[in-house]
Every structure is written in C-alpha cells, then in structure tokens.
C-alpha cells in the first residue's frame, strides 16, 4: 500500500506561482507512475500531469506551458510547479501513484483510471 501526502497548496493571485509537493511512503514499488489530478467544485476530477519512472511526462492541454511535473526519487517526492496561474486553476489537487499507467501512455495525457493510490488533496485557490 502506498501512502501519499500533499503539501504546498494555498491562495494566490492570477499570474502567480505555487509549487505542490507529494511525499510517498509505504510500498514504493507501486510508485513508478505518479501524477497530479484536480477537482473543482461541481466538476469531475481531471488529469493535470503524469510522470513515469523513466522521466517521461504527460500533460493535460490546460497545463502545457505553465505547469511542470518532476520528482526527486531520493526524497520519494513528486512536485508540480505551477506558473501563470489562472482562476480556472482553482481546485483541490490530488497526488496519485501506481505501478503502471498504460492508459496515460497510450492516450498521451493523464488518465485517472490508471491510478489506485491517492492522497487527501491540497487546495489551490487563484483569485482574479
């Protein structure tokens, strides 16, 4: 079992930046593929970005050019650097992990169904 804890959410004005962190513990064998998803009030959860253990990355169109996903394997930590934030980015952001993410690789963008382990979320609020 993988335990994921997110950090770094907060409130920021449009155009600002935030960096989210996700620390993984437990069965790290099942963290080869890790990603960030988000859910805004009244909306379904959507993918933001995914990274595989070999460094391959996959982004949602909304994140391309503004967000960067990265990981520090020595610290078992996943990051999401978010720049030029917009009010539409306001959501609860979730970290996710699993051994494989074949759906993400096949489609070239994050797929929620690939992931079995989830964090509790961290809130990001962007004001205009």
């Amino acid at each position: 079992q993988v335990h994921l804890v997110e950090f770094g959410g907060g409130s920021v004005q449009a155009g600002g930046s935030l960096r989210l962190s996700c620390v993984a513990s437990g069965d790290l064998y099942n963290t080869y593929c890790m990603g960030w998803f988000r859910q805004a009030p009244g909306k379904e959860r959507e993918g933001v970005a995914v990274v595989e253990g070999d460094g391959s990355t996959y982004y949602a169109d909304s994140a391309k050019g503004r967000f960067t996903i990265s990981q520090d394997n020595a610290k078992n930590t996943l990051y999401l650097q978010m720049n030029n934030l917009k009010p539409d980015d306001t959501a609860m952001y979730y970290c996710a992990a699993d051994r494989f993410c074949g759906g993400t690789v096949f489609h070239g963008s994050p797929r929620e169904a690939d992931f079995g382990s989830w964090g509790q979320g961290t809130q990001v609020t962007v004001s205009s």
Side-chain angles (χ1 to χ4, degrees):
Q1 186 174 0
V2 178
H3 185 55
L4 304 170
V5 180
E6 301 97 334
F7 301 94
S11 297
V12 64
Q13 289 190 328
S17 298
L18 282 175
R19 188 176 81 155
L20 305 183
S21 302
C22 170
V23 179
S25 60
D27 186 3
L28 298 179
Y29 179 79
N30 287 320
T31 60
Y32 179 80
C33 194
M34 297 189 73
W36 291 98
F37 292 75
R38 68 185 184 186
Q39 187 169 21
K43 296 186 177 181
E44 294 186 352
R45 188 155 56 185
E46 64 178 7
V48 178
V50 167
V51 60
E52 289 187 285
D54 64 359
S56 300
T57 56
Y58 307 86
Y59 291 93
D61 289 342
S62 59
K64 290 178 181 176
R66 299 189 299 127
F67 296 180
T68 302
I69 190 170
S70 62
Q71 56 188 5
D72 184 335
N73 291 327
K75 296 181 179 180
N76 299 324
T77 302
L78 178 73
Y79 302 101
L80 184 68
Q81 177 66 44
M82 304 186 292
N83 298 327
N84 190 22
L85 283 160
K86 304 175 181 180
D88 284 349
D89 295 318
T90 295
M92 184 72 78
Y93 283 71
Y94 297 90
C95 174
D98 215 308
R99 184 71 182 94
F100 302 105
C101 48
T104 295
V105 173
F106 179 80
H107 292 282
S109 62
R111 287 294 185 268
E112 181 177 349
D114 282 339
F115 296 92
S117 297
W118 294 84
Q120 83 290 346
T122 186
Q123 178 67 37
V124 172
T125 302
V126 184
S127 57
S128 58

